[in-house]
């Protein structure tokens, strides 16, 4: 048997005709920039995120970049974030000239440890950027407490966690802004790159809208230096087809997770910890094992896909060496990077496939 980490062709087979019709509609209209599909998707994503406003962007990366730029964060400013994330979180902070300031993670959830944030706040701190990793939201209440105390913006990097909840509140709706990614491997993935920013702040919404179009308002009159951060209407059309399936897909991932949890319960594998305050959308199912690298080789032999998210924490990346961090600075993030492994969790996994994955992993450990 062969089980890839993710099989997008299995999902596509179930919605192919609808996708082709929606994409064709955009092509026939030749509204190839902006237009009604983008506006409709923005309205619907705002609604499912319990937010008033949404601004489509060209990627999740550009959602973060636009947020930082629209919040007027730049040279000399500091943004507190986690070292255990995808590169884009930190890359965006650096690209706008600001300095990322890291704090370690909670080893159970892999999300930023809120207890460590206040001690790194300085007069240069402008924002906190929690990342809702693998589908589970960060512990937002204490993060918001620090943010409110020091008047800091909160940018939720919710790229992996659309519709996920914390104490019943949706990802993206608690901070100043929330950023989503529609990268194809996300629970709601496009047929290419795409992203969105959600917010309840009307003034910020207006700024985000202007900024995504080179800061022009009106056309050819530039108040700010923005960029081309626009969401492609072909992506919006495909995403509108997929959106009604999102909850069922996330539910199927939760069922798959529950299956693995049970299978691994009596083993030494550390299964994902989901806080009782959160509902995860399981963008990834990440286990921890001490013999991780041997397990990867074994899974490869058995035709089972897996991936390390993420092998090198951000403070140890070559390009961020100038920040002056060293090995040992964030022991929980460093330990996680050595032990984590994502295994197949996608909704279309069959019972036989799940069983094969679980049995293979358990047999490796025996
Ligand atoms: C945590 C996180 N932040 C940001 C991004 C960037 O999103 P995109 O790939 O759409 O630019 C991603 C996704 O790849 C991500 O997982």
């Amino acid at each position: 048997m062969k089980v890839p980490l993710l099989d997008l062709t299995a999902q596509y087979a179930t919605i192919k005709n609808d996708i082709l019709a929606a994409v064709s509609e955009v092509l026939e209209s030749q509204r190839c920039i902006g237009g009604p599909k983008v506006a409709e998707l923005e309205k619907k994503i705002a609604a499912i995120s319990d937010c008033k406003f949404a601004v489509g962007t060209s990627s999740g990366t550009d959602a973060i970049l636009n947020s930082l730029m629209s919040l007027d964060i730049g040279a000399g400013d500091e943004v507190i974030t986690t070292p255990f994330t995808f590169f884009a979180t930190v890359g965006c902070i650096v690209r706008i000239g600001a300095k990322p300031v890291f704090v370690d993670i909670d080893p159970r959830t892999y999300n930023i440890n809120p207890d460590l944030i206040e001690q790194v706040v300085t007069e240069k701190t402008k924002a906190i950027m929690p990342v809702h990793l693998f589908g589970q939201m960060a512990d937002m209440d204490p993060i918001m407490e620090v943010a409110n105390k020091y008047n800091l913006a909160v940018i939720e990097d919710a790229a992996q966690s659309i519709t996920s909840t914390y104490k019943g509140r949706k990802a993206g709706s608690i901070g100043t802004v929330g950023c989503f990614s529609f990268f194809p491997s996300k629970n709601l993935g496009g047929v290419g790159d795409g992203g969105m920013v959600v917010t309840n702040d009307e003034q910020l919404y207006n700024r985000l809208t202007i900024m995504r179009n080179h800061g022009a308002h009106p056309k050819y009159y530039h108040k700010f230096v923005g960029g081309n951060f626009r969401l492609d209407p072909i992506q919006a059309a495909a995403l509108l087809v997929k959106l009604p399936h999102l909850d069922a897909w996330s539910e199927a991932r939760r069922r798959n997770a529950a299956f693995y949890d049970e299978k691994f319960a009596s083993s030494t594998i550390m299964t994902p910890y989901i806080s009782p305050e959160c509902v995860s959308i399981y963008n990834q199912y990440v286990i921890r094992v001490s013999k991780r690298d041997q397990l990867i080789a074994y899974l490869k032999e058995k035709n089972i896909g897996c991936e390390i998210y993420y092998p090198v924490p951000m403070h140890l990346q070559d390009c961020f060496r100038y920040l002056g961090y060293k090995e040992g600075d964030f022991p929980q993030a460093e330990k996680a990077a050595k032990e984590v492994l994502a295994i197949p969790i996608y909704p279309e996994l069959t019972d036989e496939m799940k069983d094969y994955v679980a049995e293979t992993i358990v047999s490796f450990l025996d």
Side-chain angles (χ1 to χ4, degrees):
M1 190 178 297
K2 194 172 174 171
V3 188
L5 181 64
L6 174 67
D7 181 5
L8 287 171
T9 60
Q11 183 195 74
Y12 183 61
T14 66
I15 50 173
K16 180 176 174 176
N17 290 341
D18 295 341
I19 295 271
L20 289 175
V23 168
S24 173
E25 194 186 326
V26 175
L27 293 176
E28 291 296 333
S29 76
Q30 281 301 297
R31 290 290 303 269
C32 296
I33 298 288
K37 295 281 186 196
V38 172
E40 186 185 343
L41 184 71
E42 288 174 337
K43 216 169 145 196
K44 288 183 168 166
I45 297 293
I48 62 162
S49 305
D50 293 341
C51 285
K52 290 195 188 121
F53 309 103
V55 180
T57 54
S58 28
S59 64
T61 305
D62 288 341
I64 297 170
L65 195 60
N66 191 356
S67 298
L68 287 161
M69 291 169 76
S70 295
L71 286 162
D72 228 350
I73 296 169
D77 297 333
E78 293 179 357
V79 179
I80 299 169
T81 192
T82 164
F84 196 61
T85 182
F86 177 61
F87 180 82
T89 315
V90 184
C92 289
I93 297 170
V94 171
R95 280 171 67 192
I96 51 133
K99 181 182 168 192
V101 174
F102 299 117
V103 299
D104 210 350
I105 55 167
D106 175 335
R108 294 175 310 168
T109 63
Y110 307 111
N111 285 327
I112 193 166
N113 182 342
D115 298 340
L116 304 174
I117 294 176
E118 187 165 9
Q119 65 205 53
V120 297
V121 173
T122 70
E123 69 239 21
K124 292 180 182 166
T125 309
K126 285 285 163 55
I128 306 171
M129 187 154 18
V131 180
H132 305 321
L133 210 63
F134 305 145
Q136 172 169 225
M137 288 179 69
D139 189 5
M140 289 303 290
D141 277 354
I143 293 172
M144 294 310 294
E145 216 171 281
V146 179
N148 292 335
K149 183 169 168 186
Y150 295 96
N151 200 22
L152 308 175
V154 173
I155 301 164
E156 292 179 56
D157 181 342
Q160 303 181 7
S161 293
I162 194 165
T163 68
S164 180
T165 60
Y166 168 86
K167 297 186 180 176
R169 300 174 71 188
K170 289 280 177 66
S173 70
I174 301 177
T176 319
V177 292
C179 302
F180 299 127
S181 163
F182 302 130
F183 186 81
S185 67
K186 302 299 193 261
N187 287 38
L188 180 64
V191 293
D193 280 310
M196 198 160 288
V197 186
V198 288
T199 184
N200 283 306
D201 179 333
E202 188 165 11
Q203 215 177 332
L204 189 56
Y205 162 70
N206 290 330
R207 179 94 180 239
L208 287 158
T209 308
I210 293 168
M211 217 48 124
R212 105 175 128 180
N213 207 6
H214 293 293
H217 184 68
K219 204 173 177 183
Y220 305 124
Y221 292 78
H222 298 262
K223 278 194 170 44
F224 318 106
V225 180
N228 175 355
F229 304 138
R230 296 182 297 258
L231 176 66
D232 184 331
I234 286 180
Q235 297 308 325
L239 289 160
L240 281 166
V241 170
K242 290 190 176 195
L243 187 58
H245 302 282
L246 176 59
D247 286 344
W249 287 336
S250 295
E251 194 51 49
R253 284 169 181 266
R254 278 190 287 272
R255 275 200 304 276
N256 294 345
F259 175 90
Y260 286 142
D261 285 350
E262 202 186 315
K263 285 276 183 184
F264 298 147
S266 52
S267 76
T268 55
I269 299 166
M270 196 171 139
T271 53
Y273 168 80
I274 305 302
S275 155
E277 289 159 345
C278 292
V279 176
S280 175
I281 62 159
Y282 281 101
N283 182 240
Q284 301 295 344
Y285 185 91
V286 174
I287 58 171
R288 277 177 90 151
V289 280
S290 48
K291 289 188 291 180
R292 197 250 327 255
D293 295 341
Q294 291 103 304
L295 176 59
I296 293 172
Y298 187 69
L299 292 177
K300 199 168 175 196
E301 219 175 88
K302 301 286 179 189
N303 288 315
I304 295 172
C306 61
E307 189 75 72
I308 303 170
Y309 302 118
Y310 297 92
V312 183
M314 291 304 124
H315 67 290
L316 300 179
Q317 295 286 349
D318 277 352
C319 63
F320 299 140
R321 208 170 272 171
Y322 71 94
L323 292 168
Y325 292 106
K326 60 185 185 317
E327 196 147 359
D329 283 346
F330 305 110
Q332 298 300 347
E334 291 167 25
K335 191 161 187 291
K338 291 190 177 89
E339 295 178 355
V340 291
L341 190 67
I343 61 171
I345 187 71
Y346 62 91
E348 296 81 11
L349 282 176
T350 62
D351 289 348
E352 292 72 30
M353 288 165 127
K354 278 182 278 185
D355 227 25
Y356 177 62
V357 173
E359 293 299 330
T360 306
I361 293 172
V362 169
S363 72
F364 167 79
L365 294 166
D366 284 343

